[in-house]
Amino acid sequence: MKKRIPLNYITAAVLCVIVIVLVIVLAMQFGLANEKEPIYPGPGVTDMKMLSTWFPALAGTNGDTEVYILDSGVEGASMLVLGGTHPNEPSGFISAIMLIESCQPSSGTLFVIPRANNSAFTCTDPQEAAPMRFTIDTNNGTRWFRFGSRATNPTDQWPDSEVYVHASSGQQLSGSETRNLNRAYPGRADGNFTEKVAYGITQMIQSEDITITVDLHEASPEYTTVNAIVAHERALDLATLALWMVEDDMKISVEASPKNLHGLSHRELGDYTDTLALLMETANASQGRLHGRIDSALVTSGVDKFYARAYGYGSLNVDYPETGISISERCARHITCLKEFCEVYDGDKGLISLGEMPSYDEIIRNGIGHYLSDPQ
Amino acid sequence: MLMYIYLAITAFILVLVVVNMFRKKNNIFYQIDAALVMVTLILRLILVK
Protein backbone atom coordinates (compact mmCIF):
# COMPACT_ATOMS: atom_id res chain seq x y z
CA MET A 1 0.00 0.00 0.00
CA LYS A 2 1.34 3.41 -0.98
CA LYS A 3 2.17 5.60 2.00
CA ARG A 4 0.70 9.12 1.83
CA ILE A 5 2.80 12.10 2.78
CA PRO A 6 1.20 13.72 5.86
CA LEU A 7 -0.46 17.08 5.15
CA ASN A 8 1.56 18.82 7.87
CA TYR A 9 4.78 17.81 6.06
CA ILE A 10 3.51 19.39 2.84
CA THR A 11 2.44 22.67 4.50
CA ALA A 12 5.72 22.83 6.44
CA ALA A 13 7.72 22.30 3.26
CA VAL A 14 5.76 25.01 1.42
CA LEU A 15 6.31 27.41 4.32
CA CYS A 16 10.06 26.62 4.31
CA VAL A 17 10.23 27.60 0.63
CA ILE A 18 8.39 30.87 1.39
CA VAL A 19 10.81 31.52 4.26
CA ILE A 20 13.81 31.02 1.98
CA VAL A 21 12.38 33.43 -0.62
CA LEU A 22 11.69 36.02 2.09
CA VAL A 23 15.20 35.67 3.52
CA ILE A 24 16.77 36.16 0.06
CA VAL A 25 14.70 39.30 -0.62
CA LEU A 26 15.46 40.75 2.83
CA ALA A 27 19.17 39.92 2.58
CA MET A 28 19.38 41.68 -0.79
CA GLN A 29 17.61 44.71 0.70
CA PHE A 30 20.04 44.60 3.61
CA GLY A 31 22.96 44.52 1.18
CA LEU A 32 21.95 47.98 -0.07
CA ALA A 33 22.98 49.32 3.34
CA ASN A 34 26.61 48.57 2.49
CA GLU A 35 26.51 50.57 -0.73
CA LYS A 36 28.55 53.76 -0.43
CA GLU A 37 27.55 57.00 -2.07
CA PRO A 38 30.20 58.24 -4.50
CA ILE A 39 32.47 61.07 -3.42
CA TYR A 40 34.17 62.98 -6.25
CA PRO A 41 37.54 64.37 -5.09
CA GLY A 42 38.01 67.94 -6.26
CA PRO A 43 41.13 69.72 -7.53
CA GLY A 44 42.36 70.37 -3.99
CA VAL A 45 42.74 66.69 -3.12
CA THR A 46 46.36 65.62 -3.46
CA ASP A 47 46.17 62.15 -1.92
CA MET A 48 43.78 59.64 -0.43
CA LYS A 49 44.84 57.09 2.15
CA MET A 50 43.01 54.63 4.34
CA LEU A 51 42.96 55.00 8.11
CA SER A 52 44.71 51.62 8.29
CA THR A 53 47.82 53.43 7.01
CA TRP A 54 48.20 54.69 10.59
CA PHE A 55 46.74 51.64 12.33
CA PRO A 56 47.18 48.52 10.14
CA ALA A 57 44.87 46.38 12.32
CA LEU A 58 41.92 48.19 10.73
CA ALA A 59 42.80 46.96 7.22
CA GLY A 60 40.08 44.81 5.71
CA THR A 61 37.54 45.68 8.39
CA ASN A 62 34.44 47.86 8.22
CA GLY A 63 36.28 50.31 10.46
CA ASP A 64 38.80 51.25 7.80
CA THR A 65 37.85 54.50 6.16
CA GLU A 66 39.07 57.03 3.59
CA VAL A 67 41.28 59.94 4.63
CA TYR A 68 41.42 62.67 1.99
CA ILE A 69 44.49 64.90 2.03
CA LEU A 70 44.41 68.42 0.60
CA ASP A 71 48.00 69.67 0.67
CA SER A 72 48.36 73.27 -0.47
CA GLY A 73 52.07 72.79 -1.17
CA VAL A 74 52.77 75.74 1.12
CA GLU A 75 54.26 74.74 4.45
CA GLY A 76 52.05 75.54 7.38
CA ALA A 77 49.70 74.18 10.01
CA SER A 78 47.28 71.31 9.46
CA MET A 79 43.64 70.68 10.20
CA LEU A 80 41.70 67.42 10.48
CA VAL A 81 37.95 67.54 9.85
CA LEU A 82 35.94 64.56 11.12
CA GLY A 83 32.58 64.08 9.42
CA GLY A 84 30.33 61.10 10.02
CA THR A 85 31.33 60.37 13.60
CA HIS A 86 27.56 59.99 13.99
CA PRO A 87 26.07 59.23 10.56
CA ASN A 88 22.59 60.26 11.70
CA GLU A 89 23.96 63.83 11.91
CA PRO A 90 24.30 64.51 8.21
CA SER A 91 25.46 68.12 8.06
CA GLY A 92 28.91 67.11 9.35
CA PHE A 93 29.19 64.42 6.71
CA ILE A 94 27.97 66.71 3.90
CA SER A 95 30.28 69.54 5.01
CA ALA A 96 33.21 67.12 4.88
CA ILE A 97 32.23 66.05 1.35
CA MET A 98 31.92 69.68 0.30
CA LEU A 99 35.49 70.30 1.47
CA ILE A 100 36.75 67.26 -0.44
CA GLU A 101 34.97 68.28 -3.64
CA SER A 102 35.46 72.05 -3.70
CA CYS A 103 38.10 73.23 -1.21
CA GLN A 104 41.57 74.27 -2.41
CA PRO A 105 43.70 75.26 0.58
CA SER A 106 46.16 78.07 -0.08
CA SER A 107 48.47 77.25 2.82
CA GLY A 108 48.93 74.32 5.17
CA THR A 109 47.32 70.90 4.84
CA LEU A 110 43.73 69.81 5.30
CA PHE A 111 42.86 66.21 6.22
CA VAL A 112 39.23 65.15 5.87
CA ILE A 113 37.65 61.90 7.07
CA PRO A 114 34.06 62.00 5.79
CA ARG A 115 32.99 58.67 7.29
CA ALA A 116 34.78 58.60 10.65
CA ASN A 117 32.61 55.71 11.84
CA ASN A 118 32.29 53.89 8.52
CA SER A 119 30.47 50.96 10.13
CA ALA A 120 27.68 53.19 11.48
CA PHE A 121 26.84 54.23 7.90
CA THR A 122 25.69 50.67 7.19
CA CYS A 123 22.73 50.63 9.59
CA THR A 124 20.10 52.89 11.10
CA ASP A 125 19.07 53.29 14.72
CA PRO A 126 16.53 50.69 15.90
CA GLN A 127 12.92 51.80 16.35
CA GLU A 128 13.48 55.18 14.68
CA ALA A 129 12.03 54.35 11.23
CA ALA A 130 14.81 56.51 9.79
CA PRO A 131 15.38 56.54 6.02
CA MET A 132 18.41 54.67 4.69
CA ARG A 133 19.15 57.51 2.28
CA PHE A 134 18.48 61.16 1.68
CA THR A 135 18.99 63.27 -1.43
CA ILE A 136 20.42 66.70 -2.24
CA ASP A 137 19.91 68.54 -5.52
CA THR A 138 23.13 69.72 -7.16
CA ASN A 139 23.37 72.10 -10.13
CA ASN A 140 22.82 69.28 -12.61
CA GLY A 141 21.19 66.38 -10.88
CA THR A 142 20.31 64.77 -7.59
CA ARG A 143 22.77 62.91 -5.40
CA TRP A 144 21.95 60.40 -2.68
CA PHE A 145 23.71 60.01 0.66
CA ARG A 146 23.48 57.45 3.42
CA PHE A 147 21.64 58.30 6.63
CA GLY A 148 23.16 56.03 9.23
CA SER A 149 23.22 55.33 12.91
CA ARG A 150 24.73 57.03 15.94
CA ALA A 151 26.54 53.82 16.78
CA THR A 152 28.68 51.16 15.15
CA ASN A 153 26.71 48.48 13.30
CA PRO A 154 25.99 45.64 15.77
CA THR A 155 27.14 43.16 13.13
CA ASP A 156 30.63 44.66 13.62
CA GLN A 157 30.51 44.89 17.41
CA TRP A 158 28.14 42.96 19.60
CA PRO A 159 26.86 42.49 22.28
CA ASP A 160 26.78 45.71 24.28
CA SER A 161 27.66 45.43 27.93
CA GLU A 162 25.13 46.60 30.52
CA VAL A 163 27.58 49.30 31.58
CA TYR A 164 30.17 50.83 29.26
CA VAL A 165 33.43 51.46 31.08
CA HIS A 166 35.66 53.98 29.30
CA ALA A 167 39.04 52.28 29.23
CA SER A 168 41.50 55.04 30.06
CA SER A 169 39.42 56.86 32.70
CA GLY A 170 37.27 54.10 34.19
CA GLN A 171 34.20 56.31 33.72
CA GLN A 172 30.94 54.35 33.59
CA LEU A 173 28.30 55.16 31.00
CA SER A 174 25.17 53.50 29.71
CA GLY A 175 25.84 50.28 27.81
CA SER A 176 24.31 51.91 24.72
CA GLU A 177 27.45 54.06 24.45
CA THR A 178 29.69 51.02 23.92
CA ARG A 179 29.45 51.44 20.14
CA ASN A 180 29.62 55.26 20.15
CA LEU A 181 32.84 56.48 18.51
CA ASN A 182 32.58 59.76 20.38
CA ARG A 183 32.80 57.95 23.71
CA ALA A 184 35.72 55.75 22.68
CA TYR A 185 38.64 58.20 22.38
CA PRO A 186 41.59 57.93 22.65
CA GLY A 187 40.83 54.30 21.83
CA ARG A 188 42.81 51.12 22.37
CA ALA A 189 44.88 49.02 19.97
CA ASP A 190 43.50 45.86 21.61
CA GLY A 191 40.07 47.24 22.42
CA ASN A 192 36.69 46.60 20.83
CA PHE A 193 35.89 47.54 17.22
CA THR A 194 34.87 51.14 18.01
CA GLU A 195 37.87 51.68 20.29
CA LYS A 196 40.14 50.50 17.48
CA VAL A 197 38.66 53.06 15.07
CA ALA A 198 39.16 55.77 17.71
CA TYR A 199 42.72 54.55 18.23
CA GLY A 200 43.38 54.75 14.49
CA ILE A 201 42.24 58.38 14.39
CA THR A 202 44.34 59.22 17.47
CA GLN A 203 47.38 57.55 15.90
CA MET A 204 46.87 59.53 12.72
CA ILE A 205 46.67 62.83 14.64
CA GLN A 206 49.87 62.00 16.50
CA SER A 207 51.78 60.78 13.44
CA GLU A 208 50.78 63.71 11.24
CA ASP A 209 51.14 66.22 14.08
CA ILE A 210 47.71 67.67 13.27
CA THR A 211 47.42 71.24 14.55
CA ILE A 212 43.62 71.57 14.76
CA THR A 213 41.00 68.79 14.88
CA VAL A 214 37.33 69.60 14.39
CA ASP A 215 34.67 66.94 14.93
CA LEU A 216 31.43 67.93 13.13
CA HIS A 217 28.18 66.96 14.83
CA GLU A 218 24.50 67.78 15.09
CA ALA A 219 22.16 67.73 18.06
CA SER A 220 18.42 67.71 18.56
CA PRO A 221 16.98 71.24 18.90
CA GLU A 222 15.87 70.56 22.49
CA TYR A 223 19.38 69.52 23.56
CA THR A 224 21.33 71.97 25.69
CA THR A 225 24.56 71.92 23.70
CA VAL A 226 23.40 73.01 20.25
CA ASN A 227 24.57 75.70 17.83
CA ALA A 228 27.78 75.55 19.78
CA ILE A 229 31.52 75.06 19.60
CA VAL A 230 32.88 72.80 22.33
CA ALA A 231 36.58 73.37 22.89
CA HIS A 232 39.33 71.68 24.84
CA GLU A 233 40.94 74.20 27.22
CA ARG A 234 43.98 74.57 24.93
CA ALA A 235 41.62 75.41 22.03
CA LEU A 236 39.38 77.86 23.91
CA ASP A 237 41.22 80.94 22.61
CA LEU A 238 40.92 79.69 19.05
CA ALA A 239 37.19 78.98 19.46
CA THR A 240 36.51 82.35 21.07
CA LEU A 241 38.40 84.27 18.38
CA ALA A 242 36.48 82.38 15.68
CA LEU A 243 33.20 83.12 17.47
CA TRP A 244 33.95 86.85 17.34
CA MET A 245 34.48 86.54 13.59
CA VAL A 246 31.22 84.70 12.89
CA GLU A 247 28.77 86.15 15.39
CA ASP A 248 27.48 88.67 12.85
CA ASP A 249 26.32 85.73 10.71
CA MET A 250 24.92 83.36 13.32
CA LYS A 251 24.00 82.81 16.93
CA ILE A 252 26.61 80.48 18.34
CA SER A 253 28.20 79.82 21.70
CA VAL A 254 31.52 78.48 22.92
CA GLU A 255 31.54 75.87 25.67
CA ALA A 256 34.53 74.47 27.51
CA SER A 257 35.00 70.74 27.24
CA PRO A 258 34.02 69.23 30.62
CA LYS A 259 37.06 67.69 32.26
CA ASN A 260 35.04 64.90 33.85
CA LEU A 261 33.24 63.70 30.70
CA HIS A 262 35.50 61.18 29.05
CA GLY A 263 35.75 59.49 25.69
CA LEU A 264 34.73 62.53 23.66
CA SER A 265 36.93 63.89 20.90
CA HIS A 266 37.18 67.41 22.34
CA ARG A 267 38.38 65.99 25.68
CA GLU A 268 40.57 63.00 24.88
CA LEU A 269 42.19 64.18 21.62
CA GLY A 270 43.16 67.36 23.45
CA ASP A 271 44.53 65.43 26.42
CA TYR A 272 46.32 62.63 24.55
CA THR A 273 47.68 64.54 21.56
CA ASP A 274 49.00 68.03 20.85
CA THR A 275 46.08 68.90 18.58
CA LEU A 276 43.69 71.75 19.37
CA ALA A 277 40.48 69.75 19.74
CA LEU A 278 37.11 71.25 18.86
CA LEU A 279 33.63 69.90 18.26
CA MET A 280 30.69 71.65 16.61
CA GLU A 281 26.95 71.11 16.97
CA THR A 282 24.10 72.32 14.76
CA ALA A 283 20.35 71.77 15.21
CA ASN A 284 18.96 68.72 13.43
CA ALA A 285 15.24 68.03 13.79
CA SER A 286 15.50 64.48 12.45
CA GLN A 287 17.54 63.55 15.51
CA GLY A 288 15.21 64.85 18.19
CA ARG A 289 12.33 63.32 20.12
CA LEU A 290 9.63 65.72 18.93
CA HIS A 291 9.66 65.40 15.15
CA GLY A 292 6.89 63.99 13.00
CA ARG A 293 7.52 61.61 10.13
CA ILE A 294 11.24 61.18 9.50
CA ASP A 295 12.15 61.10 5.82
CA SER A 296 14.63 62.58 3.37
CA ALA A 297 12.71 65.89 3.31
CA LEU A 298 12.94 66.29 7.09
CA VAL A 299 16.66 65.51 7.02
CA THR A 300 17.40 68.17 4.39
CA SER A 301 14.74 70.86 4.92
CA GLY A 302 14.32 70.57 8.68
CA VAL A 303 10.69 71.62 8.25
CA ASP A 304 8.69 70.11 11.09
CA LYS A 305 5.47 71.55 12.51
CA PHE A 306 6.01 69.92 15.90
CA TYR A 307 9.40 71.58 16.38
CA ALA A 308 7.97 74.89 15.19
CA ARG A 309 5.22 74.50 17.80
CA ALA A 310 7.69 73.51 20.52
CA TYR A 311 9.66 76.66 19.69
CA GLY A 312 6.47 78.67 20.16
CA TYR A 313 6.14 77.15 23.64
CA GLY A 314 9.72 78.20 24.43
CA SER A 315 10.82 74.57 24.80
CA LEU A 316 13.83 74.66 22.47
CA ASN A 317 17.36 75.98 22.81
CA VAL A 318 17.46 77.35 19.25
CA ASP A 319 15.26 79.58 17.11
CA TYR A 320 13.15 77.13 15.13
CA PRO A 321 11.09 78.80 12.40
CA GLU A 322 8.26 77.11 10.48
CA THR A 323 10.56 77.15 7.44
CA GLY A 324 12.87 74.79 9.32
CA ILE A 325 16.63 74.77 9.67
CA SER A 326 17.87 73.40 6.37
CA ILE A 327 20.93 71.28 5.81
CA SER A 328 22.34 74.20 3.77
CA GLU A 329 22.16 76.45 6.84
CA ARG A 330 23.61 73.75 9.09
CA CYS A 331 26.50 73.12 6.66
CA ALA A 332 27.01 76.89 6.30
CA ARG A 333 27.59 77.05 10.06
CA HIS A 334 30.16 74.25 9.92
CA ILE A 335 32.00 75.56 6.86
CA THR A 336 32.07 79.18 8.07
CA CYS A 337 33.48 78.21 11.45
CA LEU A 338 36.05 75.84 9.92
CA LYS A 339 37.23 78.67 7.70
CA GLU A 340 37.53 81.00 10.67
CA PHE A 341 39.39 78.45 12.83
CA CYS A 342 42.04 78.47 10.11
CA GLU A 343 42.04 82.23 9.65
CA VAL A 344 42.45 83.04 13.34
CA TYR A 345 45.04 80.35 14.09
CA ASP A 346 48.28 82.09 14.85
CA GLY A 347 50.40 79.38 16.42
CA ASP A 348 53.99 78.31 15.93
CA LYS A 349 53.21 75.79 13.21
CA GLY A 350 52.65 78.38 10.50
CA LEU A 351 49.46 79.40 8.76
CA ILE A 352 46.60 77.41 7.34
CA SER A 353 43.99 78.76 4.97
CA LEU A 354 41.16 76.96 3.19
CA GLY A 355 41.50 79.36 0.25
CA GLU A 356 38.48 80.77 -1.52
CA MET A 357 35.40 79.47 0.24
CA PRO A 358 31.78 80.63 -0.08
CA SER A 359 30.44 82.84 2.67
CA TYR A 360 27.75 81.84 5.14
CA ASP A 361 25.12 83.82 3.22
CA GLU A 362 26.22 82.39 -0.14
CA ILE A 363 25.89 78.79 1.05
CA ILE A 364 22.40 79.44 2.37
CA ARG A 365 21.35 81.42 -0.72
CA ASN A 366 22.71 78.94 -3.28
CA GLY A 367 22.11 75.78 -1.28
CA ILE A 368 24.77 73.28 -0.24
CA GLY A 369 24.12 71.27 -3.42
CA HIS A 370 25.59 74.15 -5.45
CA TYR A 371 28.99 73.38 -3.91
CA LEU A 372 28.82 69.62 -4.41
CA SER A 373 29.89 67.93 -7.65
CA ASP A 374 27.21 66.86 -10.09
CA PRO A 375 26.38 63.14 -10.11
CA GLN A 376 28.58 61.28 -12.61
CA MET B 1 33.81 34.60 21.05
CA LEU B 2 30.46 35.74 22.47
CA MET B 3 29.18 36.19 18.94
CA TYR B 4 29.88 32.56 18.07
CA ILE B 5 28.11 31.38 21.21
CA TYR B 6 25.15 33.55 20.23
CA LEU B 7 25.17 32.13 16.70
CA ALA B 8 25.33 28.58 18.04
CA ILE B 9 22.32 29.23 20.28
CA THR B 10 20.45 30.78 17.35
CA ALA B 11 21.21 27.81 15.12
CA PHE B 12 20.09 25.39 17.85
CA ILE B 13 16.77 27.22 18.31
CA LEU B 14 16.28 27.33 14.54
CA VAL B 15 16.68 23.55 14.31
CA LEU B 16 14.14 23.05 17.12
CA VAL B 17 11.66 25.37 15.41
CA VAL B 18 11.98 23.54 12.07
CA VAL B 19 11.66 20.12 13.69
CA ASN B 20 8.57 21.19 15.61
CA MET B 21 7.05 22.78 12.54
CA PHE B 22 7.21 19.45 10.69
CA ARG B 23 5.91 17.48 13.67
CA LYS B 24 2.92 19.68 14.47
CA LYS B 25 -0.21 18.13 12.98
CA ASN B 26 -3.42 19.87 11.92
CA ASN B 27 -2.37 23.30 13.05
CA ILE B 28 -1.47 25.55 10.11
CA PHE B 29 -1.38 28.66 12.31
CA TYR B 30 1.28 27.11 14.51
CA GLN B 31 3.30 26.35 11.39
CA ILE B 32 2.91 29.91 10.08
CA ASP B 33 4.07 31.19 13.48
CA ALA B 34 7.08 28.93 13.24
CA ALA B 35 7.85 30.16 9.69
CA LEU B 36 7.81 33.78 10.82
CA VAL B 37 10.18 32.96 13.67
CA MET B 38 12.42 31.14 11.20
CA VAL B 39 12.78 34.27 9.06
CA THR B 40 14.20 36.32 11.93
CA LEU B 41 16.39 33.49 13.18
CA ILE B 42 17.92 32.84 9.74
CA LEU B 43 18.56 36.57 9.25
CA ARG B 44 20.28 36.64 12.62
CA LEU B 45 22.29 33.58 11.75
CA ILE B 46 23.65 35.16 8.56
CA LEU B 47 24.22 38.45 10.43
CA VAL B 48 21.54 40.30 8.52
CA LYS B 49 19.64 42.53 10.97
Side-chain angles (χ1 to χ4, degrees), chain A residues 6-13 15-16 18-20 22-23 26-27 30 154-155 158-159, chain B residues 2-3 6 18 21-26 28 31-32 35 38-39 42-43 46-49:
Chain A
L7 182 62
N8 57 306
Y9 275 37
I10 296 170
T11 53
L15 285 168
C16 281
I18 293 171
V19 165
I20 290 167
L22 270 175
V23 166
L26 290 168
F30 180 80
T155 58
W158 194 89
Chain B
L2 276 173
M3 187 177 80
Y6 166 77
V18 173
M21 188 168 80
F22 275 87
R23 281 184 176 174
K24 202 74 178 177
K25 291 178 182 172
N26 306 323
I28 184 68
Q31 289 185 319
I32 292 171
M38 280 171 62
V39 172
I42 295 172
L43 289 173
I46 59 175
L47 295 180
V48 172
K49 274 296 179 189

Side-chain angles (χ1 to χ4, degrees), chain A residues 51 54-55 58 186-187 195-205:
Chain A
L51 189 58
W54 293 274
F55 182 39
L58 289 174
E195 287 173 321
K196 285 178 181 171
V197 175
Y199 183 77
I201 292 170
T202 307
Q203 286 294 104
M204 179 201 156
I205 291 169

